[in-house]
Amino acid sequence: MQLGLYIDQNRCMGCFACIVACKDWHDVPAGPASWIRLKIMEKGAYPDLLVAFLPTACWHCESPECVSVCPAEAIAKRDEDGIVTVDRDVCLGRDDCGACLEACPYDAPQFGAEENAKMQKCDLCVDRWAQAKKPVCVSSCPVQALDAGPMDELRAKYGDVREAEGFTCLAPLAPSVRFKPKENAASLDLRRIDVFPRSG
């Protein structure tokens, strides 16, 4: 089984509730590390313009580059649910290594501001799944823009769209996420893109 996420870009209003809930649930201290970030894209020109939001996290790829490049074998993919986890006690740290950050095209590995910070990232709330609960980002979303579950169930419920505004699916990695992309965005020119919180 492979667990993953579903994101409806038409529902997401960029409220940051998922980010706050994630930091609170996982005790991620204030600073540059954030297991979920929000990509904000402005497109078009008045009067034809729009803003699209995209929560971004670890996509728990079916073939994660971070696992294969980690020299300490600190990153692993769980057989039972496909969640990619990191053992911070084994991680060599950003200053001494940082290979996972260079390998991940989605910037999922996160690091605190401390010297030689150890890698941290979304673990899809593995502790909550053990209690039959969905990830805290899903539970905290006030507009139900997020969902999580086995990928075959997400595909059956929402379809198999792999691209969204601000996201490119890299097929060899097979990221475990499906979308309802922002409507009416494809024909408009990208004017600005920001990601919050910004990495350190």
Side-chain angles (χ1 to χ4, degrees):
M1 178 180 64
Q2 174 66 58
L3 292 175
L5 286 168
Y6 165 77
I7 301 171
D8 185 340
Q9 275 191 305
N10 297 287
R11 286 179 175 260
C12 181
M13 58 183 185
C15 71
F16 292 86
C18 56
I19 295 172
V20 173
C22 177
K23 278 204 168 226
D24 182 55
W25 182 264
H26 294 287
D27 291 326
V28 178
S34 183
W35 296 10
I36 302 178
R37 291 165 292 129
L38 186 68
K39 188 180 286 187
I40 304 173
M41 294 145 287
E42 299 176 5
K43 298 192 75 175
Y46 182 84
D48 299 316
L49 50 82
L50 61 78
V51 177
F53 303 101
L54 179 69
T56 66
C58 173
W59 303 124
H60 303 278
C61 299
E62 291 182 23
S63 301
E65 284 287 326
C66 58
V67 172
S68 59
V69 301
C70 180
E73 299 183 354
I75 308 170
K77 186 168 179 66
R78 291 163 40 115
D79 292 334
E80 62 269 37
D81 52 24
I83 293 175
V84 177
T85 60
V86 58
D87 184 341
R88 299 188 69 198
D89 292 331
V90 176
C91 174
L92 299 177
R94 182 176 186 166
D95 300 339
D96 292 343
C97 180
C100 56
L101 184 60
E102 292 182 20
C104 178
Y106 300 113
D107 295 330
Q110 296 288 295
F111 296 87
E114 66 274 16
E115 185 176 339
N116 200 32
K118 307 293 182 158
M119 194 268 266
Q120 54 185 298
K121 67 169 199 63
C122 165
D123 65 0
L124 209 57
C125 287
V126 66
D127 55 334
R128 290 176 61 91
W129 286 108
Q131 302 168 14
K133 296 178 180 177
K134 291 195 175 185
V136 71
C137 57
V138 173
S139 299
S140 67
C141 181
V143 293
Q144 299 177 328
L146 305 174
D147 199 359
M151 288 305 296
D152 55 348
E153 292 182 13
L154 293 178
R155 283 190 290 267
K157 188 174 182 181
Y158 301 111
D160 198 29
V161 178
R162 301 173 188 212
E163 302 277 342
E165 197 63 39
F167 181 86
T168 300
C169 178
L170 299 175
L173 303 182
S176 301
V177 60
R178 295 298 181 267
F179 300 96
K180 183 175 183 181
K182 183 75 173 180
E183 296 172 354
N184 305 317
S187 62
L188 300 177
D189 293 332
L190 181 64
R191 298 294 182 189
R192 179 175 175 168
I193 185 166
D194 282 312
V195 179
F196 296 100
R198 293 189 170 94
S199 297

